[in-house]
Amino acid sequence: MHDIDLSSQIGRLRHLAANFEALQSQVRDLALAPGTTALRISPVFHTAQGLAARLTTQVSELADSPYTTVVGSMESLDALCSAIGSASLASCDLAHALARNPLDGTGFGGPTEHEAQFREARHAKAAPVMNEHLQDAVQQLDLCATICHYVATGMSKDIAPAPATTARRNASRDLSDTQYQALSALAKGGARMETKGRGSARVAVPDGSRVTIATFQSLDKRGLVHLDTSVPLFRGRDITVTADGHRILAHHRSAAPAAAVPAPAAPAAIPARGARR
């Protein structure tokens, strides 16, 4: 496993996305007639092959880097692999367009009096096929650009957990009493998010504490609770309090003022003993 700069990898992905977009526009704007002029496809064909090779190299670097330990990296790498396939299909479509292009020349039988008509018929037959290949290439290049943008955006979020965690911790200091009470109830365990009525969701707490969806979402945004989304909502999703959530609760309890101890009552006044009459 090689240690690489993931920030530079993100920049390369974004640059690749821009290159795919530029090539897509170039192919889309090609106005070609079959024949020698259609050989202008050749440069964009070579460019598409080069982009596919660059993307393949970058995927190889990411697959052999610490990025593979990041949660969600498998899906990102799978998406980039599919982009390699799309880039290859775009190159293939451009190659097919070149292959179906009828070039002018002289056959073994030599020129005939109907040579112009034959050439026109060949061009008319090839034009729609070539254009179909070009349109397919445009779609594949658009898909490549979209995937590169998507993965680059996801990676930039994945590799920057520290600032987000710090922000959540700072924000957690401003929890309201309602949020603290909800967090405390959820920390007891057994809470789940379930559906009710017409598909609306609710937070079910074993001790009957009321936790609204809005309160849960505010805790979730701060990273104080975790919702298990690996199961469908109708089956019930477990809710747990994160390590940050438990630290906030512990800090809140230690900072709470000690209960005031009532002062001892003053002794009742004892009447003075006087002489009996």
Side-chain angles (χ1 to χ4, degrees):
M1 181 176 291
H2 300 290
D3 190 11
I4 62 175
D5 183 4
L6 291 180
S7 298
S8 66
Q9 292 289 326
I10 294 172
R12 291 179 188 175
L13 272 178
R14 287 176 174 154
H15 191 252
L16 269 172
N19 290 156
F20 277 121
E21 288 173 342
L23 184 60
Q24 177 201 12
S25 298
Q26 192 175 352
V27 175
R28 185 179 57 238
D29 295 340
L30 284 175
L32 300 176
T36 305
T37 58
L39 292 178
R40 284 182 293 174
I41 301 175
S42 298
V44 295
F45 166 65
H46 293 307
T47 301
Q49 285 189 314
L51 291 178
R54 284 171 53 192
L55 182 56
T56 302
T57 300
Q58 186 159 5
V59 172
S60 298
E61 292 177 356
L62 287 173
D64 190 27
S65 76
Y67 177 63
T68 56
T69 63
V70 176
V71 176
S73 59
M74 182 177 66
E75 287 77 9
S76 295
L77 291 173
D78 285 346
L80 289 177
C81 285
S82 70
I84 293 175
S86 296
S88 299
L89 287 175
S91 300
C92 187
D93 280 315
L94 293 171
H96 279 302
L98 283 169
R100 295 302 299 267
N101 178 41
L103 296 176
D104 299 332
T106 303
F108 287 113
T112 66
E113 58 178 332
H114 303 294
E115 192 68 25
Q117 296 177 355
F118 291 152
R119 181 183 300 111
E120 184 177 347
R122 292 176 64 204
H123 287 190
K125 183 178 180 181
V129 179
M130 293 173 63
N131 285 327
E132 183 177 358
H133 283 302
L134 292 179
Q135 292 304 315
D136 288 343
V138 167
Q139 294 179 7
Q140 296 297 338
L141 292 170
D142 178 61
L143 184 58
C144 290
T146 300
I147 292 175
C148 288
H149 274 307
Y150 174 80
V151 174
T153 300
M155 285 181 62
S156 64
K157 295 178 181 179
D158 291 339
I159 68 173
T165 300
T166 301
R168 288 196 295 265
R169 288 178 180 174
N170 291 336
S172 66
R173 298 173 184 173
D174 301 326
L175 291 182
S176 66
D177 289 340
T178 300
Q179 291 168 333
Y180 273 118
Q181 292 170 6
L183 186 61
S184 180
L186 295 174
K188 297 176 182 178
R192 307 183 82 190
M193 183 170 289
E194 305 171 340
T195 56
K196 68 171 185 177
R198 299 178 179 177
S200 58
R202 74 182 186 95
V203 176
V205 184
D207 66 1
S209 299
R210 184 174 182 272
V211 178
T212 65
I213 292 296
T215 300
F216 172 81
Q217 289 175 340
S218 68
L219 297 175
D220 186 37
K221 289 179 181 179
R222 289 172 167 83
L224 305 181
V225 294
H226 171 72
L227 179 65
D228 182 10
T229 58
S230 63
V231 297
L233 184 58
F234 71 86
R235 294 175 57 184
R237 294 176 174 175
D238 292 334
I239 298 172
T240 54
V241 173
T242 64
D244 280 347
H246 284 292
R247 277 192 289 267
I248 293 302
L249 287 174
H251 175 75
H252 181 63
R253 295 189 188 104
S254 62
V261 179
I270 301 175
R273 296 180 179 177
R276 291 184 179 178
R277 294 182 180 176

